[in-house]
Amino acid sequence: MNETASPPENIVLIGFMGCGKSTVGRELHQRLGYPLVDMDQLIEERAGKPITAIFADEGEAAFREMEADVLRELARSKETRRIISTGGGVVGTAENRGLLKNLGYVVWLDAPLPVIMERTGKSRGRPLLHTGNPAAKIQALLEIREPLYQQTAHLKLDTAGLDSGELATGILECARYFFTHRPS
Ligand code: S3P
């Protein structure tokens, strides 16, 4: 018998640091019961150290290789209903962008610069922002990445002023529509 695998129904969260991917991911996981895959967490588990240490010991290029490897594995996996929370820089290569889009419904969580500044200022866990002028760094990265998020996402949501419950409700309704109507 010729069995056709059903197309993946993962919900993939992309977007800049501090835009709420992990928080909204947890909310979606609770609502749907789908397993939650946090790519940064997977990378840390595999490397046996936090992301700041990976950057410090091995450099950003090595981190990006690990990130791409984790994404390739997710793309090969037979598990097709997961919530996948990504790191902010995952859209940096064409290969990654293609894999993300094929994984399922891709949601770009966005926020204005002051909100990103406020949220990222609270933690030291983001090595790219360990600089004298984090605002300038964020702005420079956003300029490069916004078009990449745009071309990868099926949906863009501005997270400012909404809590994770409201965001999850919006995402679930749109994802349901997407999975029901996409061409087979
Ligand atoms: C990065 C974002 C981080 C993490 C790493 C690099 C980036 O993830 O992957 O520090 O390049 O924007 P979050 O977006 O979850 O903070």
Side-chain angles (χ1 to χ4, degrees):
M1 217 165 81
N2 195 4
E3 274 189 40
T4 324
S6 53
E9 296 198 4
N10 300 295
I11 297 178
V12 184
L13 302 175
I14 64 170
F16 204 77
M17 297 174 259
C19 286
K21 299 177 298 275
S22 303
T23 320
V24 174
R26 280 193 293 275
E27 182 74 29
L28 289 168
H29 160 67
Q30 275 166 13
R31 300 255 193 117
L32 281 177
Y34 290 7
L36 174 63
V37 178
D38 184 317
M39 285 186 59
D40 282 345
Q41 211 174 306
L42 267 183
I43 295 167
E44 289 186 332
E45 278 166 21
R46 288 184 186 184
K49 52 187 163 186
I51 285 172
T52 37
I54 302 175
F55 271 69
D57 300 348
E58 301 169 54
E60 180 176 353
F63 171 80
R64 296 295 169 203
E65 263 310 307
M66 294 176 200
E67 188 174 50
D69 280 345
V70 165
L71 189 55
R72 287 183 199 116
E73 276 177 42
L74 290 175
R76 280 197 302 269
S77 159
K78 288 200 171 58
E79 178 76 67
T80 55
R81 293 184 172 190
R82 295 158 298 192
I83 309 298
I84 300 171
S85 168
T86 63
V90 74
V91 292
T93 67
E95 182 194 357
N96 285 3
R97 294 194 292 278
L99 291 175
L100 290 165
K101 244 191 151 76
N102 287 333
L103 271 170
Y105 189 57
V106 184
V107 180
W108 170 17
L109 299 179
D110 193 24
L113 181 66
V115 175
I116 293 177
M117 284 287 295
E118 205 232 302
R119 292 191 191 152
T120 54
K122 289 179 190 148
S123 111
R124 293 283 302 154
R126 294 178 167 112
L128 287 177
L129 303 182
H130 296 173
T131 120
N133 188 348
K137 180 71 183 185
I138 292 170
Q139 218 148 9
L141 285 173
L142 278 174
E143 238 165 78
I144 298 167
R145 290 179 182 176
E146 272 172 352
L148 306 178
Y149 294 135
Q150 181 76 52
Q151 54 182 265
T152 311
H154 298 104
L155 172 73
K156 176 188 179 191
L157 282 180
D158 189 341
T159 61
L162 295 174
D163 65 29
S164 56
E166 291 165 323
L167 290 164
T169 300
I171 291 169
L172 288 176
E173 286 185 10
C174 295
R176 197 170 137 71
Y177 186 90
F178 174 82
F179 291 133
T180 313
H181 291 89
R182 75 178 155 183
S184 47

